Amino acid sequence: MDLDLKPLESYIYRELKIDLSAYKSNQMNRRLNNLIARNGASTTKEYIEMLEKKPEMKKKLADFITINVSEFFRNKELFVDLENKLKEILISNDNKKLKIWSAACSNGAEPYSVAIILDKLSPKVRHEILATDIDSTILETAKQGIYNPADVKNVDKDILKRHFSIYDDGKYILNEDIRNRVRFKKHDLILDDYEKSFDLILCRNVVIYFTQEAKDKIYSKFSESLLPGGLLFVGATESIYDYKKYDFGKASTFIYQKNK
Ligand SMILES: C[S@@+](CC[C@H](N)C(=O)[O-])C[C@H]1O[C@@H](n2cnc3c(N)ncnc32)[C@H](O)[C@@H]1O
């Protein structure tokens, strides 16, 4: 099936405020075609009519586009690397407060992982951690800090013990102390302005869905948002080959440093 998706794209922009033109079109078209077929519609128009009748389908569509998968210390070895770079480059003896941004943070496991690392590295300092996502529903989940065992499988036992409690149903709840260190806010990497003066930006496992043009704009804006010497931490499949173009140097395989 290869449907004309233009009406659906306009609908998604209007109703869900998501600009699909920034997402890789082959991949997105294939996924949307599959989704429409799975819902039993044979035309885009028919699918839109279904969406109009059932609000819960609209929510499912938003979830489908945004793909919210995350976990604590995703690619654990890269978080070890991040911890080392934080020690080496950003954490100083004068207890400087860092400004950090976890962009496309999903259920909060990523910014909370950073908060846990910083609690270990500089327990006396309250660093500023901003965490954003385009999906306001996932941000509400993130604020609650409740996770399945699979989400915390990379968390060391002593950290689990120190920062989480276990519910009777086997879920893990992150303690308030760490939860209070992260400020969540809705933000669209494609359409919104970026805050400035960050020491560290994490942006992982989202740009893979974007076109080269969209990625290019995002990396330029990250570079403008970082302080000189600040770090950008990307996903395990998201090496930036032309990093010099964005005024970055390489701090390690998946961490880039804004030139001083
Ligand atoms: C796969 S998750 C990545 C979560 C986390 N960064 C990680 O690596 O585990 C991708 C997230 O990107 C968000 N997202 C998708 N498009 C976005 C956009 N245009 N602006 C901001 N966030 C977006 C989704 O809502 C989703 O929560």
Side-chain angles (χ1 to χ4, degrees), residues 96-250:
K96 180 184 169 263
K97 186 172 150 190
L98 301 176
K99 189 176 172 195
I100 293 163
W101 178 21
S102 164
C105 67
S106 184
N107 64 8
E110 179 179 283
Y112 289 141
S113 299
V114 179
I116 289 171
I117 293 176
L118 288 171
D119 177 66
K120 184 168 116 190
L121 296 183
S122 54
K124 290 200 200 113
V125 190
R126 273 292 166 134
H127 301 285
E128 186 184 338
I129 306 175
L130 168 69
T132 63
D133 201 281
I134 193 176
D135 179 350
S136 34
T137 311
I138 202 73
L139 290 174
E140 287 311 309
T141 308
K143 282 180 203 163
Q144 288 174 0
I146 301 170
Y147 296 95
N148 292 315
D151 302 328
V152 299
K153 70 176 190 311
N154 285 340
V155 182
D156 290 342
K157 283 218 171 65
D158 56 323
I159 294 180
L160 264 186
K161 214 165 142 195
R162 188 174 152 85
H163 296 299
F164 292 82
S165 315
I166 307 182
Y167 278 151
D168 289 343
D169 63 1
K171 297 224 179 202
Y172 288 77
I173 172 144
L174 183 64
N175 293 347
E176 211 175 2
D177 175 44
I178 295 292
R179 289 210 314 273
N180 286 341
R181 294 173 195 222
V182 178
R183 171 170 64 98
F184 290 96
K185 186 178 123 185
K186 186 170 174 356
H187 179 272
D188 183 340
L189 283 164
I190 305 293
L191 299 175
D192 292 335
D193 290 338
Y194 291 17
E195 281 188 32
K196 295 260 184 322
S197 307
F198 290 102
D199 296 282
L200 167 67
I201 297 176
L202 301 95
C203 184
R204 311 183 70 224
N205 305 301
V206 63
V207 298
I208 33 163
Y209 304 113
F210 294 147
T211 59
Q212 190 51 47
E213 195 190 344
K215 264 194 253 188
D216 193 46
K217 279 197 196 133
I218 289 173
Y219 290 141
S220 302
K221 284 164 87 176
F222 280 155
S223 179
E224 281 167 27
S225 286
L226 279 169
L227 292 166
L231 302 177
L232 172 67
F233 182 33
V234 301
T237 56
E238 297 171 333
S239 287
I240 309 172
Y241 297 104
D242 47 356
Y243 58 86
K244 289 188 183 145
K245 176 172 143 189
Y246 308 107
D247 203 18
F248 287 133
K250 214 163 185 180

Side-chain angles (χ1 to χ4, degrees), residues 2-19:
D2 216 356
L3 298 171
D4 171 18
L5 295 172
K6 279 271 168 291
L8 183 60
E9 281 175 18
S10 312
Y11 180 86
I12 289 169
Y13 189 69
R14 208 173 52 243
E15 294 291 319
L16 304 175
K17 310 276 177 295
I18 298 174
D19 179 5

